[in-house]
Amino acid sequence: MRDSKAIGNTRYGAAYPLVTLNESRMRPDTEIRWADLADMSDIVRLCEEHAAYEKADYVPTCERDLQNLLFGANPPLNCLVAHASGG
């Protein structure tokens, strides 16, 4: 793809592409980065909103499990955060 950038999974030791972004379709003020613990409240809020959209129950005790899955010793899940600074 032209104007694309791969974000690899190198932070966990593996060097394979995790996702490819088509930068020509992104806003120029968009920052994409790995999630960190400071993002947990936003990640949980998105999970709650998604559960409501799907008309599913959201179990608040999942927050601790989600934090361990994303940020534990050998996390099996990855999470990227996209933020547009221009509003």
Side-chain angles (χ1 to χ4, degrees), residues 5 23 25-32 81-86:
K5 174 172 68 174
E23 291 182 310
R25 299 187 67 183
M26 290 173 44
R27 289 174 43 164
D29 61 343
T30 301
E31 171 197 8
I32 298 177
V81 175
H83 176 74
S85 61

Side-chain angles (χ1 to χ4, degrees), residues 3-41:
D3 297 327
S4 65
K5 174 172 68 174
I7 294 180
N9 193 12
T10 55
R11 81 174 187 167
Y12 298 118
Y16 59 89
L18 179 65
V19 66
T20 300
L21 305 171
N22 185 342
E23 291 182 310
S24 66
R25 299 187 67 183
M26 290 173 44
R27 289 174 43 164
D29 61 343
T30 301
E31 171 197 8
I32 298 177
R33 61 175 175 75
W34 292 106
D36 58 35
L37 280 173
D39 297 310
M40 273 305 296
S41 62

Side-chain angles (χ1 to χ4, degrees), residues 37-54:
L37 280 173
D39 297 310
M40 273 305 296
S41 62
D42 290 326
I43 295 168
V44 167
R45 181 181 51 78
L46 288 171
C47 290
E48 290 170 342
E49 290 175 8
H50 181 70
Y53 174 80
E54 294 289 341

Side-chain angles (χ1 to χ4, degrees), residues 54-85:
E54 294 289 341
K55 297 179 177 51
D57 293 329
Y58 178 76
V59 182
T61 57
C62 291
E63 294 172 26
R64 179 183 30 198
D65 295 333
L66 181 60
Q67 183 171 328
N68 287 332
L69 290 169
L70 288 169
F71 306 110
N74 292 307
L77 298 180
N78 295 302
C79 183
L80 294 171
V81 175
H83 176 74
S85 61

